């Protein structure tokens, strides 16, 4: 292990401060129609890169028979599957995670903590014309690692069209030097850092949620619902879903307008598609332009937890989103943008929103604002809440599940959406240590 | 339990003979362009029902960078998810399956054994104008059953575009009468009947493959590959897949011709899209027309099995198919139409094809021809083989998996393709009884 191993958080904070001075991006907004390398394709009606690569911003028309009856929206289409991978190594009996201090153009605070490898296929096949992706070989060469987790998981289904990333955790026995901009952190350290606003990035949260517990064991049998019933409930929701999506031209989206160099919803809600010009220091490519998503208001992701039969249960909802590959996935108890519902009477607000927003301080286990992925999202994030409650009855779209059940589901694709994985990583950060 | 419970197969065969006289279909081929209710839509280039319902036959263009470099083909698009459901009930400590004797237009021998409910959404929401689907209530009302299995599984990915059916097994405590055309069979009886050519239909095989073993238990730990490695290998194959599909007009498919009232490949291989006129006695609707798929030659589905560390292992391949929702699923060791490869030199024939075709008689555990689903496939089926072998090295696309691992995977969608589930049901029929 190298000198960059951080034995305590004080040492890490020193590395962080020192790296922030050398690795950063300067991002300025640019009108979408003056974005070097990108153009509005008159033929398709999409915004795409001149090379045909990276991603495109497309229109999506969503039709459903149940309310809301249907809507149109811009959505990011990036068909390739990227790798979000943590290289881990055991030393002194403790697992350490090789963490990257990564500056992304959308981060409001510069560096955030990223998995070892966070690479689109374009990155690692050299489409960017960029440099070699460090440590990628551990994720590509089976002989050099033991797989701990390797599963494709969805990105946000309301922003990405059928986008998946490969979430990987691989263990090596080799001696691995932490290069400049990387640091070895224990799981306990990562968990402590999760409580700091906007520090542990979305990809790290996503991958950490896929980490199996060390004592993976047959479930204790006192869950509220056997796993077969949980799977059946998800199958039922997916079968019932009547959401149909089709690609349409951006300029055919009725409620969206191109004004002032960006695309926004006529109500001023939801999100904007903006253009940015990025100058990066200490990153693969020095200068580029790209479209980004800027959410109009912060999101709220909340998990309600309670103890049943002495076992911690989490209230999950099954949620249909237009960009998901398989119609519906599990989402946190509350997943919304509260500002969107602000003038609504209580009966029309999302279930449990008022409950989590008005929770007593001593019931709030976790409360931190964490960013969306800074490569696509500009200054966007969500407040992450974990709130304890007494048992509550389950509305049809909700079930109390155990951490063991959620762990079992994260071994497979398409069960927990990005927001659920992000919130689950926060909840699990409280439990590592075994005091719950 | 009713008088129709079959205590032995002799009684069942009597019921079968007697029902065959009353329940049958008369199917005759009709040119596609003279198919009442169906038309070639000049606008889309698809064959569709005038009501816009049921399913359509569309063109699909498949592009891939790896060989074969790409092709076009007709494919069935039926977006709705049907139910394939077995109602089961324990009596005298033995689980019995309520089996339907069902005549389908494509069956070459009239009746076959179907799950209790085999219904498209059109069926059970009354689009056919048909009668009530018997026993459907057990699959729709959670209060009346215990779920044993409930998982959406793919249909054949080379014939159906992203089609899934909901495979269900539900247990009831209620007293249930076997109506006319239904019979209670034990798992042992169903397994014996699987050895008869073209008797146990495809949907039954698909659902039986999803039945958990009675002694579901933690895996014994002497599998060749830990499950994490198996999942990683599947994730890798899905990530690597570069198959892209897009809908095209049927008349834009270069190698396919409309001649003599059907659509066929210019080489005379693969399959035809034909039209049929069906007259049914003892079925929901008396008379209708529809397109069907007729495979040009019988298929071959073979599983190689061997014992490693005293534990039975099955050689599975991970296989990309254009109609699959998630790029690649597990397929049997051999899945092909042998006639398609007949003039090819051995080096270009599918892996293990020669081995299973030339197996010594005493190594062949199972050898039965079983039909494709008779609602969409006309006189089409595959020889199902289970062949014992010594251990063989694994080509990159193949892995030796245990039955326990395959059972774990069938709890979830999109791991075992239809052919794998069909072959697995045959293999499992040899094992029920615990003598392997």
């Amino acid at each position: 292990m190298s000198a960059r191993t951080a034995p305590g958080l004080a040492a890490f904070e020193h590395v962080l401060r020192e790296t922030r001075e050398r690795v950063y991006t300067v991002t300025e907004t640019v009108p979408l129609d003056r974005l070097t390398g990108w153009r509005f394709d008159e033929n398709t009606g999409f915004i795409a890169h001149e090379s045909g690569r990276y991603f495109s911003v497309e229109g999506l028309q969503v039709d459903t028979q149940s309310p809301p009856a249907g809507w149109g929206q811009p959505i990011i289409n990036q068909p390739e599957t990227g790798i979000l991978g943590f290289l881990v190594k055991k030393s002194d009996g403790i697992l350490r995670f090789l963490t990257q201090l990564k500056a992304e153009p959308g981060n409001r605070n510069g560096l955030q903590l990223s998995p070892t490898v966070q690479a689109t296929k374009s990155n690692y096949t050299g489409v960017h014309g960029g440099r070699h992706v460090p440590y990628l070989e551990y994720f590509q060469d089976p002989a050099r690692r033991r797989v701990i987790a390797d599963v494709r998981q969805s990105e946000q289904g309301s922003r990405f069209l059928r986008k998946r990333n490969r979430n990987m955790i691989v263990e090596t026995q080799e001696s691995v030097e932490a290069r400049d901009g990387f640091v070895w952190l224990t799981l306990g350290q990562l968990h402590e850092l999760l409580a700091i606003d906007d520090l542990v990035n979305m990809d790290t949260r996503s991958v950490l949620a896929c980490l199996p517990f060390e004592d993976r064991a047959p479930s204790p049998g006192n869950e509220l619902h056997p796993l077969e019933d949980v799977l059946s409930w998800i199958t039922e929701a997916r079968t019932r879903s009547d959401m149909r999506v089709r690609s349409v031209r951006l300029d055919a989206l009725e409620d969206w307008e191109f004004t002032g160099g960006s695309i926004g919803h006529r109500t001023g809600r939801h999100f904007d598609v903006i253009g940015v010009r990025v100058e990066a220091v200490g990153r693969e490519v020095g200068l580029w332009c790209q479209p980004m998503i800027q959410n109009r208001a912060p999101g709220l992701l909340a998990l309600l937890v309670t103890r049943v039969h002495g076992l911690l249960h989490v209230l999950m909802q099954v949620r249909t989103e237009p960009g998901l590959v398989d119609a519906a996935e599990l989402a946190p108890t509350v997943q919304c943008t509260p500002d969107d519902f602000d003038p609504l009477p209580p009966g029309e607000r999302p279930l449990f929103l008022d409950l989590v927003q008005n929770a007593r301080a001593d019931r709030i286990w976790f409360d931190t604002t964490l960013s969306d992925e800074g490569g696509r999202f500009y200054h966007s994030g969500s407040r992450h809440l974990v709130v304890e409650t007494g048992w509550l009855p389950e509305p049809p779209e909700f079930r109390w599940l155990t951490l063991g059940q959620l762990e079992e589901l994260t071994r497979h694709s398409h069960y927990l959406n990005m927001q659920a994985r992000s919130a689950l990583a926060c909840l699990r950060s409280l439990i590592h240590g075994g005091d719950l």
Side-chain angles (χ1 to χ4, degrees), chain A:
Chain A
M1 210 69 65
S2 86
R4 287 191 185 278
T5 301
L9 283 181
F12 163 73
E13 277 163 19
H14 174 75
V15 173
L16 182 62
R17 265 196 311 274
E18 179 250 354
T19 312
R20 275 202 163 124
E21 289 170 20
R22 292 177 298 105
V23 181
Y24 55 86
T25 60
V26 181
T27 305
E28 60 181 38
T29 58
V30 173
L32 276 174
D33 49 357
R34 299 212 323 255
L35 214 50
T36 309
W38 296 78
R39 65 192 177 89
F40 178 80
D41 183 330
E42 285 292 346
N43 200 25
T44 59
F46 303 155
I47 294 173
H49 193 260
E50 284 166 1
S51 66
R53 286 166 169 168
Y54 308 111
F55 63 91
S56 54
V57 181
E58 310 186 354
L60 193 75
Q61 185 61 40
V62 184
D63 297 310
T64 161
Q65 267 140 44
S66 27
W71 69 92
Q73 65 165 83
I75 199 158
I76 295 176
N77 188 2
Q78 182 174 8
E80 63 182 23
T81 301
I83 292 178
L84 312 177
F86 257 120
L87 182 63
V88 304
K89 186 170 163 61
K90 209 165 234 172
S91 64
D92 309 329
I94 295 173
L95 214 52
R96 288 166 204 275
F97 290 68
L98 186 54
T99 307
Q100 188 179 170
L101 308 176
K102 196 169 167 73
E104 292 279 14
N107 293 352
R108 52 191 141 207
N109 59 344
L111 289 185
Q112 295 195 13
L113 304 189
S114 147
T116 319
V117 165
Q118 180 181 318
T120 62
K121 215 169 189 172
S122 313
N123 279 141
Y124 64 76
T125 55
V127 173
H128 276 284
R131 281 166 255 158
H132 167 73
V133 177
Y135 306 108
L136 186 63
E137 59 275 17
Y138 293 97
F139 299 88
Q140 297 191 309
D141 178 0
R144 297 185 65 178
R145 40 83 165 172
R146 181 178 75 84
V147 168
I148 295 178
D150 183 3
V151 58
R152 292 191 311 159
Q153 299 286 11
S154 58
E155 301 284 294
Q156 290 97 319
S158 59
R159 300 291 183 268
F160 291 98
L161 185 61
R162 292 189 278 274
K163 172 96 175 86
R164 272 80 55 84
N165 277 320
R166 187 171 177 183
N167 287 237
M168 298 181 81
I169 303 173
V170 303
E171 185 182 358
T172 183
Q173 307 270 3
E174 297 176 22
S175 168
V176 179
E177 186 79 12
R179 299 163 60 136
D180 186 31
F182 291 81
V183 62
W184 288 101
L185 295 174
T186 65
L187 188 58
Q189 290 173 327
L190 279 170
H191 282 165
E192 274 192 67
L193 296 167
L194 255 174
I196 298 173
D197 280 351
D198 296 314
L199 181 57
V200 174
N201 84 356
M202 192 181 81
D203 293 338
T204 297
R205 277 133 46 205
S206 172
V207 178
L208 286 182
C210 300
L211 178 72
F213 289 115
E214 281 216 56
D215 54 347
R216 179 177 277 172
S219 56
N222 48 359
E223 310 99 339
L224 258 179
H225 306 284
L227 189 60
E228 284 315 326
D229 288 357
V230 175
L231 295 175
S232 179
W233 165 68
I234 297 170
T235 297
E236 167 73 30
R238 288 176 168 170
T239 306
R240 203 175 46 241
S241 163
D242 58 4
M243 191 179 276
R244 300 272 176 269
V245 301
R246 58 196 158 86
S247 289
V248 296
R249 301 175 61 87
L250 281 169
D251 51 14
L253 295 171
E254 277 189 23
D255 293 328
W256 296 78
E257 303 167 328
F258 181 87
T259 47
S262 65
I263 299 173
H265 196 264
R266 58 170 181 77
T267 61
R269 288 201 172 141
H270 308 304
F271 62 91
D272 295 328
V273 182
I274 64 169
V276 296
R277 180 181 176 281
V278 186
E279 192 172 348
V281 179
R283 203 172 180 277
E284 299 99 46
V285 175
L287 187 69
W288 73 92
C289 288
Q290 67 171 85
M292 296 194 90
I293 300 285
Q294 180 169 27
N295 290 337
R296 279 290 178 109
L300 177 66
L301 304 178
L303 294 177
L304 280 175
V305 300
T306 194
R307 224 171 289 273
V308 185
H309 308 141
L311 194 62
L312 195 70
H313 282 68
V314 189
L315 190 60
M316 304 295 293
Q317 61 166 307
V318 61
R319 185 182 168 95
T320 306
E321 294 177 327
L324 296 179
V325 167
D326 209 2
E329 298 187 7
L330 299 186
T333 319
V334 177
Q335 173 187 324
C336 73
T337 303
D339 281 9
D340 285 357
F341 301 98
D342 208 24
L344 287 184
E348 293 173 39
R349 289 156 63 82
L351 286 173
F352 306 112
L353 173 58
D354 291 331
L355 193 153
V356 300
Q357 282 189 317
N358 301 320
R360 262 175 28 208
D362 64 339
R363 294 299 194 97
I364 299 175
W365 290 6
F366 188 95
D367 185 358
T368 304
T369 294
L370 296 164
S371 296
D372 292 332
E373 202 268 310
R376 296 290 173 269
F377 291 91
Y378 184 78
H379 294 193
S380 297
S382 292
R383 181 181 177 195
H384 287 56
L385 275 174
V386 177
V387 176
E388 191 187 7
T389 173
W391 182 82
L392 295 164
E394 299 164 333
E397 305 302 313
F398 290 77
R399 286 289 182 280
W400 288 106
L401 305 184
T402 66
L403 287 169
Q405 291 177 329
L406 293 172
E407 180 199 8
E408 178 62 30
L409 295 177
T410 55
R411 302 177 89 181
H412 307 284
S413 299
H414 306 150
Y415 280 121
L416 267 73
N417 75 2
M418 172 58 87
Q419 292 87 341
R421 298 197 307 284
S422 182
L424 178 62
C426 298
L427 171 57
R428 288 179 55 162
S429 77
L430 308 172
I431 289 160
H432 179 255
D435 54 340
L436 285 179

